[in-house]
Amino acid sequence: MRQTLAEPDGFLTDPLAALDGWVGDGIAIRRFEPGRYLVSGDELVRTALAGTTTPFAAKAATFGAVAGWVPGSERSRPVNAALARELDRAWQAVPPERITAELRRSAEAGETWPGALSGCYLKLFGEQLFPGLPTKARQSLQDALAASDGLDRTTTALRRLRGRLAHSRADAALHRWAAGRTGPLPDAMRTALGSADDVALALHGLVGAVCRAASMVFAWTALLDRGWRPGTPAGTTLPPVAVTEPAAHRVSEALRLWPVAWLLSRKVTAATELGGVPLVPGDRLYLCTYLLHRDPDVWAEPGEYRPSRWARPPEGHKARYMPYGFGGAACVGSRFVNRASAAVLDCWTAFDDVALRIVEPGPVFGSLLSPPVVRPVITR
């Protein structure tokens, strides 16, 4: 693949148009600002993701707020193992009837998705992850999730202030909950982190990472199942459809087309080069899964939603399918997001009386790749 150091026009103002124009052009690395590079060559992406400190430093989405946290380190492995076990237990413990009831409640209330879905996931799985968390504390977590969802679309000084206050309350609530509590996850966190403040930050990061990602994966999949395409205007109503493909295949395909983690960031910590481009400390790499996932050399009809392709994935797909990263800093919650989303989708497919109305068109390329905002509409 080639590389270019020309600053590409339009990427910062209209990322969707720019990215779609670059699909399949064979350019592996681009400079879009001084010291800022967009990387889409699969070998270069794997090289940048392979390490977590030098020459490319990583932060885990779940624990990024914890000072000195190094993903994939000896310190992090016991916490990640405990977290993976707890997340597995959480999604398996919630019965389909409970999921169906929560989806029905949200749909009948006319809540907007994916924002309200973050709170739904917290209600469904939060009691498993945070047993005994008081109602007021749970509301603080839901408020913080809502604040994060809002910042993806509109950032104002007042919204940022409200967001900081909401997150501070959530941190305090988790600090109180974790104090003196025993269990595999809080015990592993206390051992690795030491500070009660850091434990609260890590638990808050866990809530934000898995609930927001799962809500967006569900929303993307539900929209794509109903034929949504870019450019669908606000006010459009997407009717219920019969779905036959397995939920796991639909989730995988939604993540291929619209990866929530569309850019994986790495900071350059030592002078090096990547793809022949010299880099210096302080430079920033943005590893673009959106372009990897649409490489026409691997994916037939890369812009089309084809869940059936996952019954027999194409040769070479593993090198160009990284919805949760790769290596030591890959998202530890990936299995939960995929399986919990599939479990919720299995319940959702029975809702043959609920349409989805576009409230705010998308997608929105922010810290996450957010789907259009929709409102469920009961059709009978």
Side-chain angles (χ1 to χ4, degrees), residues 89-273:
R89 184 180 63 81
W91 78 263
Q92 293 177 45
V94 180
E97 296 79 12
R98 175 75 181 89
I99 296 172
T100 300
E102 179 58 25
L103 285 175
R104 175 61 67 179
R105 180 208 62 77
S106 183
E108 291 181 346
E111 295 180 337
T112 54
W113 296 352
L117 285 172
S118 297
C120 292
Y121 274 88
L122 180 60
K123 288 178 185 178
L124 290 169
F125 304 105
E127 183 56 36
Q128 302 299 323
L129 295 173
F130 308 112
L133 187 68
T135 301
K136 187 175 180 180
R138 195 176 306 278
Q139 185 60 54
S140 295
L141 290 182
Q142 289 178 334
D143 292 344
L145 285 171
S148 295
D149 289 326
L151 286 173
D152 280 340
R153 292 183 174 270
T154 305
T155 302
T156 64
L158 180 58
R159 189 180 286 274
R160 286 195 297 270
L161 175 59
R162 288 175 175 169
R164 286 197 293 270
L165 290 173
H167 285 286
S168 294
R169 293 190 188 102
D171 289 340
L174 288 170
H175 193 291
R176 290 190 293 271
W177 176 83
R181 183 167 293 274
T182 61
L185 185 57
D187 290 348
M189 284 188 169
R190 273 192 293 271
T191 299
L193 302 175
S195 163
D197 289 340
D198 282 347
V199 171
L201 284 173
L203 289 170
H204 192 180
L206 165 64
V207 171
V210 300
C211 290
R212 294 189 67 219
S215 70
M216 290 186 184
V217 170
F218 172 92
W220 273 122
T221 309
L223 282 162
L224 291 164
D225 282 343
R226 292 162 182 246
W228 174 88
R229 301 184 74 87
T232 304
T236 302
T237 299
L238 303 174
V241 295
V243 179
T244 59
E245 294 289 343
H249 292 177
R250 289 149 52 212
V251 166
S252 293
E253 182 68 349
L255 279 166
R256 184 192 68 80
L257 266 180
W258 302 100
V260 174
W262 68 289
L263 285 183
L264 306 171
S265 176
R266 291 294 183 269
K267 183 180 179 180
V268 178
T269 57
T272 187
E273 63 85 27

Side-chain angles (χ1 to χ4, degrees), residues 37-58:
Y37 299 87
L38 187 79
V39 184
S40 57
D42 61 303
E43 292 182 5
L44 302 189
V45 168
R46 287 198 302 276
T47 296
L49 292 177
T52 57
T53 54
T54 305
F56 309 116

Side-chain angles (χ1 to χ4, degrees), residues 277-310:
V277 176
L279 302 170
V280 297
D283 285 351
R284 181 73 66 170
L285 305 177
Y286 295 93
L287 316 168
C288 188
T289 57
Y290 182 95
L291 289 174
L292 273 179
H293 291 185
R294 294 176 180 239
D295 186 340
D297 289 340
V298 172
W299 312 101
E301 298 183 292
E304 297 299 316
Y305 180 60
R306 299 281 187 265
S308 59
R309 73 175 87 234
W310 292 96

